[in-house]
Amino acid sequence: MAGASKNSRTTVATQKFTCPCGGEVVMKTMYENGRLRNLAECGKCKRQERRPKDFK
């Protein structure tokens, strides 16, 4: 009898980040200078930070 793997049993919780201006922060992947960069960007004011928690 095979059980479900540990990874399939975990629940996925997504976290919503918001900017002080009231917009929602989304992660974007950009390719520049030969490398991939992940950036967090507010959809309302277009402010960019390195990670979502930097918007506080």
Side-chain angles (χ1 to χ4, degrees), residues 2-15:
S5 71
K6 182 180 74 171
N7 290 334
S8 70
R9 289 193 305 259
T10 61
T11 59
V12 176
T14 58
Q15 200 171 7

Side-chain angles (χ1 to χ4, degrees), residues 2 5 21-22 24 28 31 45:
S5 71
C21 74
E24 186 177 343
K28 292 190 174 185
Y31 185 79
C45 65

Side-chain angles (χ1 to χ4, degrees), residues 28-39:
K28 292 190 174 185
T29 304
M30 302 189 65
Y31 185 79
E32 54 181 54
N33 296 335
R35 50 174 75 165
L36 289 172
R37 283 185 63 203
N38 292 319
L39 288 174

Side-chain angles (χ1 to χ4, degrees), residues 40-55:
E41 184 178 21
C42 174
K44 192 173 180 183
C45 65
K46 303 297 183 203
R47 180 175 154 199
Q48 290 184 342
E49 296 288 343
R50 190 167 152 226
R51 50 187 175 262
K53 66 181 182 180
D54 291 341
F55 280 90

